[in-house]
């Protein structure tokens, strides 16, 4: 039988533009695919590799196709279209490669993946060649985007001007008294034996070039893992960003520094296993703003990791609410030091401001931070508004210079390390930053280039074709291979640094830092005034460290040595697993009390009774016990980061002065307790960032109670045990990371991305959200901003004293998940942004509230708080048990509009 000859016709066609007129801006980049006729042997062979490679489609994000789509049409002898199943009737096959250049972002994935190199992408003249020099295409198209209602979000590195590090800088020539050195054949220009941190907490580093904080979620699993593996291999700390660390990567926790951003995302467990903790006070690319993770990127796995509800927008507010002022910084460091111990790093990430940067840096150093990360202009981000990205901050060399000088003048430079980052493009830029005074330099965007990044500014869309910022395409990256590329790049940069240092006659890293052997001869007036107009300092003389009496500089060993007799006397009174401690009002300070509790735990104590407490802080932080009872007044930041502990605070009527069972600011922040019961009132920011547990307050709460409350602790975090990895060496950890990834990849390859995410769904439903319930006292109602930015959890206000309106303003403002049940006359103008009030309860609501109210009454009914409250609570209980419906009818429920 003679096989029927089939004719194959091929064509390359462009999709016609949807609209015409002024808003038809057209394609920013033009995509040209060369045909076989145009260039025989090098033309398109219709293999569909470009179709598979491209993921970009902003107009229709749910489409299977991006810029390219391959269409195959079958015809019979009569020219009629037929189905491909009718093989015997097929006479003509028409293959059409459709191209939609409007969706092209110039990521070059198609170009790199085309086996024929038949694809070219270039700027479209029709888009770019408009306007005049002053008002060019950038300005005009920006206005058109806004007029059309387009999103002004962008991402990556997008400064409006060229880098001011690339031109007009000259490093010094070698001098006769400091001749050039041969770093290839002698010890010269060496960057080894370096340490991040200059006091008890130190991390040994083998390179002065660091990665930067980029979170899991802004990076795909594979991109994040590649960066982690590279950092371990290079002998440098890995900065996690504010998205925490994935459970599969927790074996490497000792190499990682966690970032606490203003969103407070994460389970906040096993914290002592990390290398350190970094407070994010600012970000270069966002100019002091917080962040917003779009609901579509907050998938089920991300929600489990960040302990929030899935598929909801996540807001990280602009300020760090736990520190409103410079004066509060030492208190935060003190709390973290109690949590982590003296041998863990505590850092601060700050954006370089124009006017008071010097004072900020000095304040951070005096507060006790081990290192300061200077975030300069020209930084990159996974998502920010154009106006922020394009209007960069100050130059990284200038800010580093200011920070270094300020610390030297105060005699603090030998106590604090400086990391500087923001727009550092290559090894020469890095060398300038080190010469200006940084101990280490951060390169974030450079780290992504070996993974495929071409700066197409689509990070925020979740459509990254290289799989760097798009989780569903992350398997396009081999973490092991990608990590090796990062390692090779950084080692190459480091060789450049060593050559530059040796060329200046320098022996080591210490000789480079702060040497300032460069001049600036460009047009920037600030840089010229600082580095070009006149002679500048070279290596500044070392200033002897001034004696600092502030307690944040004291180690726990010093605290023990100063109070040894007192501590040992108290520890001698341990009875089995119980210890009574008489704080004696002011006789035992906060850190000493915290140390006593830790040492008692080492001796087997599980239950504490703290008596005559008046404002002591740090109670319970870093103390692994089962129960704490406090009689008296609890100080700022007590119970922070506690886990699986029951805490009771009761009033002290045994002392000659009545001490109420109140709690000050920031109590129980970032915590996972079994339960915390306060038989009084609490101040501002109570249970802020709380992840799980029960919180009961007999009376009222201050401003921003339950700020950024989370949605519960997943089971895998609650049961996590990293003890077996403590003594593992680097190679064993790397093997474990890759083994875990192969298991994940194996499962992922068996199903679609959405199916893979559904495998995590059950874990979401297993979580128990945190619940906080307030009784409210007669003295005052609740403060403003109750449950602001809540991302899960339940807040209940019982109003047992029957105030007409127990609440302040901005109730639940910015809440994206969770609910508030409030008993009282709540007006619409009291509600915050993005929430709605419901004036009735469901049967399910009533069952839930009934159980919580019953537990609340039983918790406080036998506590002698004060006569007025005792009587009001008694009457409320009688009414509740007699007629629950009359209580329920007074409630309103407040939930996010998105619910």
């Amino acid at each position: 039988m003679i096989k029927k000859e089939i004719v194959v016709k091929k064509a390359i066609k462009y999709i016609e533009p949807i609209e015409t007129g002024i808003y038809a801006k057209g394609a920013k980049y033009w995509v040209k695919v060369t045909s076989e006729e145009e260039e025989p042997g090098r033309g398109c062979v219709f293999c569909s590799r470009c179709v598979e490679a491209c993921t970009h489609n902003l107009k229709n994000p749910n489409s299977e196709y991006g810029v390219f789509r391959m269409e195959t049409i079958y015809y019979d002898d009569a020219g009629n279209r037929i189905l491909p199943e009718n093989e015997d009737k097929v006479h003509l096959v028409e293959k059409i490669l459709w191209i939609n250049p409007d969706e092209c972002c110039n990521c070059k994935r198609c170009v790199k993946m085309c086996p024929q190199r038949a694809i070219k992408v270039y700027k479209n003249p029709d888009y770019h060649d408009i306007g005049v020099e002053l008002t060019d295409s950038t300005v005009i198209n920006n206005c058109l985007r806004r007029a059309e209602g387009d999103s002004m979000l962008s991402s990556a590195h997008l400064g409006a001007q060229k880098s001011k590090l690339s031109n007009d800088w000259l490093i010094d020539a070698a001098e006769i008294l400091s001749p050039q050195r041969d770093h290839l054949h002698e010890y010269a220009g060496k960057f080894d034996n370096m340490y991040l941190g200059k006091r008890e907490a130190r991390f040994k580093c083998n390179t002065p070039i660091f990665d930067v904080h980029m979170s899991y979620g802004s990076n795909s699993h594979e991109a994040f893992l590649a960066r982690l593996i590279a950092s371990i291999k290079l002998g440098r700390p890995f900065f996690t960003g504010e998205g925490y660390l994935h459970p599969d990567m927790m074996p490497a926790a000792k190499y990682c520094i966690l970032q606490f951003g203003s969103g407070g995302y994460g389970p906040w467990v096993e914290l002592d296993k990390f290398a350190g903790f970094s407070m994010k006070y600012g970000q270069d690319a966002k100019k002091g703003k917080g962040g917003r993770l779009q609901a579509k990127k907050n998938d089920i796995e991300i929600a489990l990791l960040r302990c929030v509800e899935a598929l909801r927008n996540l807001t990280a507010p602009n300020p760090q609410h736990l520190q409103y002022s410079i004066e509060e910084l030492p208190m935060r460091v003190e709390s973290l030091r109690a949590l982590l111990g003296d041998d863990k790093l505590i850092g601060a990430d700050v954006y370089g401001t124009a006017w008071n940067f010097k004072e900020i840096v000095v304040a951070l150093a005096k507060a006790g931070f081990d290192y300061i990360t200077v975030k300069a202009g020209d930084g990159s981000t996974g998502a920010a508004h154009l106006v922020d990205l394009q209007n960069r901050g100050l130059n990284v060399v200038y800010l580093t210079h200011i920070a270094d000088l300020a610390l030297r003048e105060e005699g603090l430079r030998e106590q604090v390390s400086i990391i500087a980052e923001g727009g550092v493009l290559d090894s020469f830029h890095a060398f300038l930053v080190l010469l200006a005074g940084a101990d280490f330099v951060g390169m974030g965007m450079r780290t992504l280039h070996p993974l495929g990044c071409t700066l197409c500014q689509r990070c925020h869309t979740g459509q990254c074709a290289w799989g760097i910022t798009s989780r569903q395409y992350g398997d396009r990256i081999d973490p092991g291979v990608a990590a090796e590329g990062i390692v090779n790049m950084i080692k190459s940069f480091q060789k450049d640094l060593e050559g530059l240092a040796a060329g200046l006659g320098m022996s080591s890293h210490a000789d480079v830092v702060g040497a300032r052997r460069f001049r600036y001869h460009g047009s920037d007036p600030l840089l010229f005034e600082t580095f070009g107009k006149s002679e500048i300092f070279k290596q500044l003389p070392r200033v002897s460290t001034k004696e600092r009496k502030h307690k944040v500089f004291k180690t726990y060993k010093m605290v023990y040595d100063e109070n040894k007799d007192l501590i040992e006397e108290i520890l001698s009174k341990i009875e089995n697993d119980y210890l009574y401690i008489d704080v004696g009002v002011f006789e035992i300070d906060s850190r000493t009390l915290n140390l006593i509790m830790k040492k008692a735990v080492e001796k087997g104590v599980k239950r504490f009774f703290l008596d005559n407490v008046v404002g002591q802080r740090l109670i319970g932080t870093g103390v692994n016990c089962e129960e704490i009872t406090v009689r008296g007044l609890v100080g700022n930041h007590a119970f922070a980061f506690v886990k699986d502990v029951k805490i009771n605070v009761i009033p002290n009527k045994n002392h000659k002065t009545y001490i109420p069972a109140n709690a000050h600011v920031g109590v129980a922040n970032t915590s996972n307790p079994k339960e915390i019961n306060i038989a009084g009132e609490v101040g501002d920011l109570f249970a802020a960032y709380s992840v799980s547990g029960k919180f009961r307050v007999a009376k009222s709460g201050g401003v921003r109670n339950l700020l950024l409350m989370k949605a519960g602790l997943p089971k895998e975090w609650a049961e996590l045990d990293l003890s077996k990895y403590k003594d593992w060496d680097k190679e064993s950890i790397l093997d474990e990371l890759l083994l875990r990834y192969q298991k994940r990849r194996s499962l992922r390859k068996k199903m679609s991305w959405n199916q893979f995410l559904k495998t995590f769904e059950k874990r979401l439903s297993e979580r128990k959200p945190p619940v906080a319930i307030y009784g409210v006292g007669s003295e005052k109602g609740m403060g403003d901003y109750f449950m602001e930015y809540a991302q899960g959890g339940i807040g209940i206000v019982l109003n047992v004293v029957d105030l007409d309106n127990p609440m302040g303003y901005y109730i639940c403002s910015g809440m994206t998940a969770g609910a508030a049940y409030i008993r009282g006359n709540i007006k619409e103008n009291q509600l915050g942004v993005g929430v709605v009030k419901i004036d009735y309860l469901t049967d399910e609501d009533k069952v839930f509230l009934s159980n919580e109210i019953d537990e609340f009454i039983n918790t406080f009914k036998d506590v002698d708080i004060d006569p007025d409250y005792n009587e009001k609570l008694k009457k409320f209980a009688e009414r509740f048990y007699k007629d629950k419906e009359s209580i329920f009818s007074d409630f309103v429920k407040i939930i996010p509009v998105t619910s």
Side-chain angles (χ1 to χ4, degrees), residues 308-368:
V308 298
E309 290 294 350
L311 303 175
R312 305 288 180 88
N313 292 321
L314 297 183
T315 298
N318 293 351
Q320 277 279 2
H321 282 294
L322 286 171
Q323 301 94 62
Y324 288 127
S325 67
I326 282 176
E327 289 76 20
E328 290 178 294
L329 289 173
M331 190 161 54
R332 185 58 167 168
V333 174
E334 185 183 56
S335 178
L336 293 174
R337 192 66 73 199
L339 171 71
L340 302 171
D342 292 322
D343 61 341
K344 304 292 185 180
L345 290 163
I346 301 174
D349 303 335
V350 289
Y351 171 63
T353 56
W355 306 113
N356 56 354
F357 189 60
K358 179 177 177 180
E359 289 76 14
I360 289 172
V361 169
V362 169
L364 290 168
K366 287 181 178 180

Side-chain angles (χ1 to χ4, degrees), residues 104-123:
C104 182
C105 61
N106 196 30
C107 78
K108 292 289 199 293
R109 173 89 180 177
C110 59
V111 174
K112 304 278 187 178
M113 299 304 290
C114 178
Q116 294 292 98
R117 297 294 183 265
I119 304 174
K120 297 289 183 289
V121 178
Y122 50 88
K123 287 185 176 181

Side-chain angles (χ1 to χ4, degrees), residues 681-733:
E681 63 184 41
V682 295
D684 300 344
L685 297 162
F686 176 74
Y689 309 103
S690 55
V691 181
S692 64
K694 289 284 181 74
F695 304 84
R696 301 185 187 97
V697 179
K699 293 189 175 182
S700 305
V703 174
R704 289 196 166 94
N705 273 217
L706 315 186
L707 171 79
L708 284 152
M709 200 180 205
K710 300 297 183 273
L713 188 67
K715 188 176 179 181
E716 63 187 311
W717 285 112
E719 298 175 351
L720 187 67
D721 182 8
L722 300 179
S723 55
K724 75 173 186 177
Y725 303 111
K726 182 179 179 182
D727 299 319
W728 282 28
D729 61 20
K730 181 167 70 174
E731 294 306 319
S732 299
I733 294 291

Side-chain angles (χ1 to χ4, degrees), residues 36 56 103 153 158 167 197 215 319 366 380 432 471 483 486-487 532 536 606 615 637 702 729 746 755 821 851 882:
E36 187 68 15
H56 299 290
E103 292 292 346
L153 277 180
L158 197 61
N167 300 305
S215 65
K366 287 181 178 180
S380 304
L432 284 175
R471 285 171 34 78
I486 296 170
V487 169
I536 60 171
K606 296 179 180 178
H637 288 243
D729 61 20
S746 176
Q755 289 171 331
Y821 296 90
N851 292 332
K882 183 179 180 180

Side-chain angles (χ1 to χ4, degrees), residues 154-167:
S154 190
S155 47
H157 185 108
L158 197 61
Q161 305 171 45
K162 289 184 177 180
S163 170
K164 292 185 180 178
L165 290 177
S166 298
N167 300 305

